[in-house]
Amino acid sequence: MSETREISGSERSLIAVYPGSFDPLTNGHLDLISRGARLVDHLIVSILSNTQKQPLFTVEERIRMLQEVTAHISNVEIDSFDGLLVDYAARRGANAILRGIRAISDYESELQMALLNRRMRPETETIFLMAREEYSFISSRMIKEIITLAGDVSSFVPQTVAQRLREKFPRTS
Ligand code: PNS
């Protein structure tokens, strides 16, 4: 017969890092943050700052937007990192990495990343949440393409992001 054991609050504490480029932040990201924050004790949303890609928004701009849209969620913190994600997770005392999966096309690269991260730091588990259907087709890459072609992205991103995109690309509606 299995024995039950009281688990103390501190043993249970789950700190997760939700890493990403968030360039720009989409409604899909925001949904994942809200749902992730309900599952863990503390959620650190962290922007990768040493990417080779030419970003649309600076890290500081992305931090500000993320702070604005998550201000009402008390256990969410916004940060940035460079270097290896697992090293950053270790520095922050995080025991989990949160990632979203939209379609089967995300699975291959996410699996590779999760397995590499697990090999490098086995004590950090990757937790996947499936994107909600209504956000499963939204990606930052497509948002960038639409906005640079003067399209309207206001139904795909939070209002504050749409506003800043309009300021950056004044030709759009
Ligand atoms: O939103 P993105 O661009 O898909 O996020 C990718 C990210 C930031 C999670 C990934 O590139 C990353 O973790 N980079 C940090 C460098 C690292 O740890 N690489 C090894 C794991 S694959």
Side-chain angles (χ1 to χ4, degrees):
M1 207 166 78
S2 67
E3 263 182 38
T4 54
R5 186 172 68 92
E6 278 291 309
I7 297 172
S8 76
S10 60
E11 266 182 86
R12 261 199 199 144
S13 182
L14 183 53
I15 301 172
V17 174
Y18 176 27
S21 307
F22 305 103
D23 189 40
L25 168 72
T26 68
N27 287 338
H29 291 133
L30 189 52
D31 175 58
L32 211 85
I33 294 170
S34 319
R35 289 164 54 212
R38 284 201 293 268
L39 288 178
V40 304
D41 297 293
H42 187 68
L43 181 64
I44 306 165
V45 181
S46 201
I47 301 165
L48 175 69
S49 61
N50 64 338
T51 175
Q52 304 294 323
K53 294 181 237 166
Q54 182 61 41
L56 197 58
F57 290 108
T58 65
V59 172
E60 292 69 30
E61 286 175 315
R62 281 176 272 163
I63 286 180
R64 268 199 299 279
M65 284 184 269
L66 273 160
Q67 281 171 339
E68 274 178 44
V69 299
T70 60
H72 63 291
I73 316 176
S74 60
N75 63 335
V76 170
E77 173 193 342
I78 311 300
D79 195 14
S80 64
F81 75 104
D82 54 24
L84 280 179
L85 174 60
V86 287
D87 290 343
Y88 170 72
R91 278 200 305 280
R92 296 302 320 266
N95 36 25
I97 292 167
L98 177 69
R99 290 288 286 173
I101 291 195
R102 289 163 300 189
I104 195 77
S105 50
D106 282 339
Y107 178 78
E108 210 172 324
S109 57
E110 292 299 332
L111 173 71
Q112 190 182 16
M113 235 178 351
L115 295 180
L116 283 167
N117 285 335
R118 189 164 66 194
R119 185 61 72 90
M120 290 188 283
R121 190 172 187 251
E123 52 274 52
T124 310
E125 284 291 351
T126 301
I127 300 172
F128 291 108
L129 289 183
M130 298 301 147
R132 274 166 61 160
E133 309 85 275
E134 59 265 50
Y135 303 130
S136 60
F137 59 93
I138 302 175
S139 72
S140 297
R141 190 168 63 84
M142 289 300 171
I143 301 293
K144 269 187 241 183
E145 185 164 321
I146 296 169
I147 199 80
T148 52
L149 297 171
D152 177 14
V153 295
S154 54
S155 58
F156 309 135
V157 297
Q159 227 182 332
T160 180
V161 178
Q163 177 59 35
R164 280 165 213 240
L165 284 168
R166 277 194 290 271
E167 285 160 17
K168 258 193 208 293
F169 299 90
R171 280 185 312 126
T172 58
S173 56

